[in-house]
Amino acid sequence: MKIQLFLKGMLRGGIPFVIMSIIAYILYLQNSITDAKGTFYAALIAFIVGFATVIYDINQWSLTKKTVIHFLLMLLTIYPILLFSGWFPLQNITDALVIFGYFLVTGAILWSVLLFLAKKFNW
C-alpha cells in the first residue's frame, strides 16, 4: 500500500516536474534566466502538490486528518518556495505575512473547488 501510494505520488508530481524542468532548462539555454528560475520553482510546486494528492487516497483517514496533514505539508514546502522564489517582494516580516495570506487564500480556494468537484463527480 505504501509503495503504491509513493509510486502514484511520483507519477502525479513527477510528470509535470519533468516537463516543466525541461522547459526551464530550454529557457535557461536561451538566457531567459529569470523565466527559467520561475518555471523551475513552478515545477517544484507542481511536483509537491501532485505528490501530496495521494494523501486523499488514504481511505482510513478522515477528511479532517487528510486536510490538516496536507496543509502542514504545503506549509513546510510550498510556503518557503513562495518566500524565496522572488515572485513577491520580501523585505520584512510584513511581506512574509502578506505572502502567507496569499498562500492561505489560494489554498482555501483550491481546496474548496477540488472538494466540490470530488463530491460532484464522486472521485
Side-chain angles (χ1 to χ4, degrees):
M1 174 78 169
K2 291 179 185 178
I3 291 180
Q4 289 174 334
L5 285 177
F6 178 80
L7 293 174
K8 190 182 287 189
M10 289 300 291
L11 270 176
R12 290 179 185 175
I15 292 171
F17 177 77
V18 168
I19 293 168
M20 293 175 74
S21 294
I22 291 169
I23 294 168
Y25 184 66
I26 292 168
L27 289 167
Y28 175 80
L29 292 176
Q30 296 173 346
N31 287 326
S32 296
I33 306 303
T34 302
D35 291 339
K37 182 179 165 185
T39 303
F40 185 72
Y41 282 127
L44 282 175
I45 290 171
F47 174 75
I48 293 165
V49 171
F51 191 91
T53 61
V54 299
I55 291 169
Y56 294 97
D57 292 342
I58 303 172
N59 295 326
Q60 298 86 350
W61 290 1
S62 69
L63 181 60
T64 301
K65 182 176 181 176
K66 293 173 188 179
T67 301
V68 168
I69 291 172
H70 187 261
F71 173 77
L72 292 173
L73 182 60
M74 296 298 105
L75 181 63
L76 295 173
T77 57
I78 303 303
Y79 181 59
I81 291 172
L82 294 175
L83 289 175
F84 299 111
S85 67
W87 292 340
F88 303 95
L90 183 58
Q91 303 299 320
N92 52 46
I93 192 72
T94 303
D95 291 341
L97 290 173
V98 168
I99 296 168
F100 185 67
Y102 290 140
F103 168 80
L104 288 177
V105 170
T106 302
I109 291 169
L110 289 173
W111 184 89
S112 298
V113 167
L114 291 172
L115 178 64
F116 171 78
L117 291 173
K119 288 186 176 199
K120 175 105 174 136
F121 295 105
N122 230 1
W123 288 338

